[in-house]
Amino acid sequence: MNCEYELYKPSWCPGCGNYMIRDALKKALEDLDIEPSKVVLVSGIGQAAKMPHYIGLNGFNGLHGRALPPAIGIKMSNKDLTVIVESGDGDTYGEGGNHFIHTIRRNVDIAHFVHNNQIYGLTKGQASPTTALGQKTTLQFDGVKLNPINPLALSLTMGAGFVARGFSGDVKHLSNLMKEAILYKGYAHIDILQPCVVWNKVNTFKWYKDRVYKLNEDYDYTDFEAAYKKALEFGDRIPIGILYKVEKETYDQKFSFIEKGKPLVKAELNPINAQNLLEEFY
Amino acid sequence: MDYSILIGGAAGQGIETVVELLEKIIKRSGFNIFTYKDYMSMVRGGHNFMQIRFSENEIFTYNNEIDLLFAMTAETITIHKDKVKTDGIIICDENFEDNDVIKLPFDKLVKELGDNRAIGTIGVGFIVKYFGIEYDIAVNTIKTVLKDKNVELNLAAFKAGYEIGESKFKLESLEDNKILINGNQALALGAIAAGVKFYCGYPMTPSTSVMSYISKHANEMNIVVDQVEDEVAALNMALGASYAGVRAMTGSSGGGFALMVEALSLAGIMEIPIVLFNAQRPGPATGLSTRSEQADLRFVIHAGHGEFPKMVIALRNPEDAFYQTARAFNLADKYQIPVILLTDEYLADYEMTVKPFDFSRITIERYITNESEIEDERYKRYKYTDSGISPRLIPGIAKEKLVLVDSHEHNEYGNIDESIETRVNMMKKRMKKLELLKEEIKEPEYIGTENPEVLLVGFGSTYGAIKESILRLNSQDDKFGALIFGDIYPFPIEKLNSYAKKAKKIIVIEQNYLSQLKSLIDEYTDIKVDKSILKYDGRAINSDDIILEINKFLSNDTI
């Protein structure tokens, strides 16, 4: 099986970064030689979240802001599946902010790719949680009055073991990041910078292109303080690459029957097995 | 014989241990038990009480008259003394300044024993002696229930209490062949028997004990229990687990259930099987956290934006909670729908003796298709069929087929599709299942004389109170019958129509203000309800309350 198919023409605008992110994902899965039937792509709502419709993988296109909880349920029920979450900045950092925080706490073995175009695309140009302070939008006529979220600083603070930033304009680099994230045992967060060609006239392709730079090869991604500094660097220069990566015990490893046994979905069910539980009620 | 003991005091005084010991001692002496629990939303202080009723006959609810009141605080006497029968007694410490009570040297004995916590067990000793319960059974029960937790201290306390008491009754022990269980434990056991592998939830009284029971047995039964960040996550996460192929469950009480409503609608359009429960407590909003009501009936029936098929089952008693919960998983899998179990604080917390559950009666029917049976090259998760039910594959287990589920309106493959044709066909496909459910639902249970003049109608946890009312009323004048709904949505109307035709008066009994069950009867039948007996004070209705109301109504309104 191949994860490429052309049945559905994406409803993304020409020039949208989502195309490049899809190319990077396809390449990553092909390079890793993972059967599409062993992958579940989970998403919420938004332009980015339509990804399960435009790629040949198992898909769970759920509710706005709610991509992470089903991904956790899926991974814990079938540890053999590769579970990838793709959603936008509004979905992940706004509507789904609480799930984002607590998913990091769990450290479930999933890869989370956030398409961050710093604007709401599908609902036509309102501010997202990552839109810059003061930026005028189709709703914030006087400019945004809320401070933006710093997604990477947040996930680092919450204890994520894999924190990275990618850029849709560099598919090869992004694809390699995705491979690392998928292979990583635990929750892996990639914030992917992506221009919105229609609604964000500030953070354009050129804007990102002029600012992003790749982290040096001698950058030590196990150094938390260095990672935190890099996470705060978002202005004239924006680093891309793996900011932080360390080993951490994953959520499923904390359940011995999952760690040692077969996936829960393959468990044989027999009501009689529970009969002994009646004893305490006599 | 039919006795009631009320133990009252402040939170933190150990009432629960006293009750646990007494319940097990009385149960192992072979009597039927019904324990009603009334507690406040606080960790220390306040006034809590529990009432143990026991009898050689079957009993189904608590009652309003007390034979023995064990007051651990002075306030307990003030609040409950009016309920004590004329030949009943009140026991308390000798320092309490009350008249007409039996003052016992609790404080003095506790000082001799050297541990304040022994007060309750001294009371247990007194009570066992008073009712003439077998001494050896009591001693053995204390040893087994407390295991290594201060057995010696408690045995000494028990003996001290036993020695200062006098026997008023002499109870001959009977054979003990029942279990003592509450509704939440039974619900949790039903889910475990049905093979639940994933349970997630957020603590909220009175739903929490389902999660804590499953959690206690999670490792031995291989169940993932996840305490989620909020109830929004809970149902979404459970739906992910169910999509991946395991039996998953979540539950909460009114406010938490409200947060699940968005994802309930997701289950509807994604056609993912799921079982969830709402242990009702009085609202609106925080309402009365630790008390009971049946006011979410309409709420759960209509929960979820848009229209989609679902099923609602009101649990009637612990046995029902066990068997119906297990059945709910089969129904959810068969129709790929959400099934909501409706319970409440009363049923969640009261404990009663019931016949041990028969696990061999539980079947597990998954309705999951084999990949080899799928003819389409590309798997259609939402394939149009005559029944509206599409063959279900599990992602990853199917090796050559992809499983795509979607929250948008979608075509047969699960891809977004906004066309008029797809929308209309998919609505019809999903709603067809609602028609099938109408064939699946169980009619309400009927109790009473075959041709009733007066028909009582209720649902869910009022079962015991209504059943006992019928038994008591018919022993005086055999003209009463009752229908008590378990399956309540889709609303079964056959038995209701046939018994309503026979009856001259129809009385609905429910614990809410608007008489929501009556409104369902109005909606789905032409039956005219003559009277609604409603209780919305947060406390469970019992047969004393019901009989009083019925007699009042019938004396004003001659048949």
Side-chain angles (χ1 to χ4, degrees):
Chain A
M1 277 178 103
N2 185 306
C3 64
E4 177 115 30
Y5 69 84
E6 300 294 333
L7 272 171
Y8 293 91
K9 194 177 168 312
S11 62
W12 296 326
C13 311
C16 176
N18 285 336
Y19 290 101
M20 278 81 91
I21 297 173
R22 183 177 64 162
D23 290 344
L25 177 63
K26 279 180 186 169
K27 187 172 171 348
L29 291 171
E30 280 161 17
D31 287 355
L32 292 173
D33 200 21
I34 302 177
E35 258 304 300
S37 66
K38 291 287 179 198
V39 182
V40 182
L41 185 62
V42 186
S43 70
I45 293 296
Q47 285 295 75
K50 289 178 181 168
M51 188 67 87
H53 298 281
Y54 308 141
I55 194 165
L57 300 168
N58 292 299
F60 186 112
N61 181 184
L63 294 168
H64 188 52
R66 320 291 174 218
L68 288 169
I72 295 166
I74 293 165
K75 184 67 189 181
M76 296 305 283
S77 302
N78 188 350
K79 64 175 178 179
D80 288 349
L81 292 171
T82 297
V83 180
I84 298 168
V85 178
E86 288 208 39
S87 265
D89 41 330
D91 194 283
T92 306
Y93 306 136
E95 188 88 23
N98 200 25
H99 308 310
F100 178 53
I101 290 171
H102 293 275
T103 300
I104 299 169
R105 288 179 57 213
R106 286 189 184 87
N107 196 29
V108 185
D109 185 18
I110 60 177
H112 190 187
F113 305 149
V114 185
H115 302 213
N116 181 2
N117 56 12
Q118 300 185 255
I119 203 77
Y120 278 32
L122 184 59
T123 54
K124 306 193 174 180
Q126 303 83 4
S128 93
T130 52
T131 306
L133 193 65
Q135 185 170 324
K136 289 183 180 169
T137 76
T138 58
L139 184 72
Q140 285 77 17
F141 300 103
D142 300 333
V144 175
K145 296 187 174 77
L146 277 70
N147 285 309
I149 270 188
N150 184 322
L152 300 186
L154 179 58
S155 59
L156 279 170
T157 307
M158 288 313 305
F162 185 106
V163 178
R165 176 176 283 129
F167 173 44
S168 67
D170 191 338
V171 172
K172 196 177 159 203
H173 180 260
L174 178 60
S175 183
N176 282 332
L177 282 183
M178 286 175 164
K179 275 193 274 185
E180 293 272 355
I182 291 167
L183 290 175
Y184 177 74
K185 286 292 291 174
Y187 172 78
H189 176 207
I190 307 181
D191 185 67
I192 303 167
L193 302 174
Q194 164 211 17
C196 175
V197 292
V198 176
W199 299 111
N200 194 334
K201 302 298 183 195
V202 177
N203 310 108
T204 60
F205 184 80
K206 185 175 183 310
W207 190 91
Y208 287 120
K209 190 80 185 160
D210 290 345
R211 285 164 176 78
V212 299
Y213 72 96
K214 288 175 195 158
L215 289 167
N216 284 336
E217 277 183 15
D218 59 359
Y219 171 78
D220 178 8
Y221 56 62
T222 64
D223 181 345
F224 182 83
E225 283 181 24
Y228 202 81
K229 272 184 195 155
K230 288 293 175 195
L232 297 180
E233 199 178 317
F234 198 90
D236 293 342
R237 279 168 62 75
I238 304 171
I240 58 172
I242 298 175
L243 272 66
Y244 190 60
K245 183 183 162 188
V246 290
E247 276 185 30
K248 295 202 166 187
E249 190 182 17
T250 64
Y251 196 49
D252 50 340
Q253 285 169 343
K254 289 173 184 163
F255 294 80
S256 63
F257 55 89
I258 293 185
E259 173 70 359
K260 291 176 192 149
K262 53 189 176 186
L264 285 186
V265 67
K266 292 185 178 164
E268 279 158 31
L269 309 181
N270 183 354
I272 299 297
N273 293 345
Q275 200 165 345
N276 284 343
L277 299 180
L278 269 194
E279 285 309 314
E280 70 171 293
F281 300 106
Y282 278 98
Chain B
M1 59 159 278
D2 189 342
Y3 301 117
S4 279
I5 303 166
L6 190 148
I7 300 113
Q13 277 192 314
I15 296 174
E16 288 188 6
T17 311
V18 177
V19 169
E20 191 188 1
L21 285 175
L22 274 175
E23 280 180 324
K24 290 275 180 177
I25 292 168
I26 296 167
K27 188 191 102 64
R28 288 179 189 175
S29 305
F31 301 106
N32 292 300
I33 293 179
F34 187 100
T35 305
Y36 175 67
K37 300 186 172 181
D38 187 297
Y39 56 102
M40 295 173 76
S41 183
M42 51 202 334
V43 180
R44 290 283 180 272
H47 174 69
N48 293 349
F49 72 91
M50 297 190 191
Q51 196 171 323
I52 304 172
R53 178 184 173 196
F54 60 103
S55 171
E56 62 208 351
N57 303 313
E58 280 201 290
I59 46 177
F60 305 97
T61 183
Y62 72 108
N63 53 13
N64 289 347
E65 293 195 319
I66 306 300
D67 296 276
L68 187 149
L69 172 60
F70 177 15
M72 295 171 82
T73 55
E75 187 191 16
T76 304
I77 301 173
T78 318
I79 294 172
H80 298 286
K81 67 178 169 198
D82 291 346
K83 293 186 220 164
V84 179
K85 290 180 186 169
T86 45
D87 60 348
I89 59 165
I90 298 171
I91 60 170
C92 62
D93 185 67
E94 56 196 356
N95 295 321
F96 288 12
E97 292 169 2
D98 275 273
N99 300 319
D100 304 326
V101 298
I102 297 177
K103 294 185 175 182
L104 301 173
F106 283 115
D107 269 357
K108 197 173 133 250
L109 289 170
V110 158
K111 281 189 186 111
E112 285 170 24
L113 292 162
D115 196 322
N116 269 332
R117 291 170 300 177
I119 287 189
T121 325
I122 299 171
V124 173
F126 182 92
I127 292 166
V128 165
K129 180 80 164 283
Y130 182 77
F131 286 101
I133 296 165
E134 246 181 80
Y135 180 85
D136 289 346
I137 292 180
V139 168
N140 287 334
T141 304
I142 291 171
K143 285 180 189 163
T144 53
V145 170
L146 295 178
K147 295 193 182 87
D148 43 1
K149 285 186 291 184
N150 299 312
V151 172
E152 274 177 37
L153 168 72
N154 280 289
L155 279 177
F158 171 81
K159 284 171 189 166
Y162 195 86
E163 276 159 24
I164 55 173
E166 277 178 30
S167 290
K168 180 170 179 186
F169 305 101
K170 175 87 186 93
L171 298 183
E172 293 295 329
S173 297
L174 304 165
E175 192 196 346
D176 167 32
N177 53 10
K178 293 193 171 176
I179 55 168
L180 178 72
I181 196 163
N182 71 33
N184 271 4
Q185 290 163 336
L187 190 164
L189 257 183
I192 295 174
V196 74
K197 287 285 154 217
F198 192 93
Y199 186 95
C200 55
Y202 187 93
M204 181 170 186
T205 308
S207 70
T208 315
S209 56
V210 169
M211 180 160 57
S212 46
Y213 181 82
I214 296 177
S215 184
K216 195 168 80 178
H217 298 288
N219 287 332
E220 61 181 300
M221 301 310 296
N222 294 2
I223 302 166
V224 170
V225 176
D226 188 298
Q227 183 181 320
V228 286
E229 55 270 27
D230 55 35
E231 291 85 348
V232 177
L235 186 49
N236 280 285
M237 200 179 286
L239 288 174
S242 180
Y243 161 78
V246 303
R247 285 192 153 174
M249 188 183 197
T250 180
S252 188
S253 300
F257 191 89
L259 291 182
M260 295 183 187
V261 167
E262 182 196 29
L264 191 65
S265 179
L266 179 68
I269 197 161
M270 280 189 161
E271 302 190 53
I272 295 178
I274 195 74
V275 177
L276 63 163
F277 72 92
N278 177 357
Q280 300 164 96
R281 67 189 219 188
T286 309
L288 296 164
S289 319
T290 59
R291 307 202 178 274
S292 204
E293 199 163 77
Q294 295 183 302
D296 292 348
L297 175 62
R298 279 287 189 182
F299 170 49
V300 297
I301 287 175
H302 299 293
H305 50 296
E307 296 166 309
F308 57 91
K310 68 165 93 71
M311 184 159 174
V312 180
I313 302 173
L315 304 178
R316 290 172 284 206
N317 54 47
E319 273 184 299
D320 211 33
F322 176 75
Y323 293 108
Q324 290 280 46
T325 300
R327 170 175 168 250
F329 280 93
N330 287 342
L331 292 172
D333 273 344
K334 184 173 179 184
Y335 296 99
Q336 302 170 12
I337 53 162
V339 178
I340 302 169
L341 303 168
L342 190 60
T343 170
D344 54 36
E345 184 278 327
Y346 175 60
L347 174 56
D349 289 335
Y350 79 66
E351 286 171 343
M352 75 181 280
T353 42
V354 295
K355 237 170 66 182
F357 301 146
D358 182 356
F359 285 69
S360 69
R361 268 177 62 193
I362 306 299
T363 58
I364 295 178
E365 296 150 39
R366 296 301 321 269
Y367 304 95
I368 291 170
T369 307
N370 267 326
E371 196 174 0
S372 57
E373 288 165 32
I374 302 294
E375 288 167 2
D376 302 299
E377 192 193 338
R378 228 187 123 211
Y379 171 58
K380 294 175 170 172
R381 175 65 194 87
Y382 301 107
K383 191 182 174 78
Y384 296 128
T385 62
D386 291 341
S387 63
I389 303 167
S390 314
R392 178 173 171 226
L393 284 181
I394 299 303
I397 304 297
K399 292 191 175 57
E400 296 295 327
K401 305 286 182 199
L402 300 174
V403 184
L404 176 62
V405 293
D406 186 22
S407 66
H408 303 84
E409 188 55 274
H410 44 247
N411 59 25
E412 288 180 280
Y413 298 108
N415 281 113
I416 303 173
D417 190 336
E418 298 191 11
S419 73
I420 293 169
E421 191 194 358
T422 297
R423 169 63 178 176
V424 172
N425 287 340
M426 276 296 160
M427 279 302 290
K428 284 183 181 165
K429 165 190 148 45
R430 289 189 293 266
M431 297 313 282
K432 243 185 230 174
K433 299 193 287 185
L434 191 61
E435 295 309 309
L436 292 180
L437 281 175
K438 288 177 186 165
E439 308 295 315
E440 185 80 54
I441 48 175
K442 288 186 178 165
E443 290 289 323
E445 182 174 332
Y446 182 76
I447 299 161
T449 190
E450 204 32 51
N451 291 299
E453 279 184 40
V454 181
L455 179 67
L456 312 184
V457 188
F459 73 98
S461 73
T462 52
Y463 176 89
I466 295 175
K467 181 170 183 171
E468 200 164 285
S469 303
I470 292 290
L471 298 176
R472 289 171 60 186
L473 288 164
N474 281 351
S475 70
Q476 303 289 317
D477 187 357
D478 190 21
K479 64 175 184 183
F480 294 89
L483 282 171
I484 303 140
F485 285 83
D487 291 7
I488 199 154
Y489 184 81
F491 192 57
I493 55 172
E494 265 179 44
K495 266 194 191 175
L496 182 63
N497 274 325
S498 73
Y499 281 101
K501 263 185 211 134
K502 300 175 183 179
K504 291 179 185 148
K505 291 288 170 197
I506 297 168
I507 303 173
V508 167
I509 299 165
E510 53 187 320
Q511 297 218 228
N512 55 55
Y513 185 91
L514 290 172
S515 201
Q516 298 181 25
L517 175 60
K518 175 184 175 295
S519 80
L520 284 180
I521 297 172
D522 291 346
E523 184 178 341
Y524 291 102
T525 73
D526 296 323
I527 296 165
K528 185 184 158 290
V529 172
D530 298 286
K531 163 86 180 160
S532 287
I533 296 176
L534 305 173
K535 195 168 192 281
Y536 44 86
D537 60 4
R539 278 71 175 172
I541 198 164
N542 63 20
S543 60
D544 293 341
D545 304 328
I546 292 174
I547 290 171
L548 189 73
E549 288 297 319
I550 286 176
N551 287 339
K552 225 190 286 174
F553 172 68
L554 294 180
S555 65
N556 291 335
D557 194 321
T558 46
I559 292 178

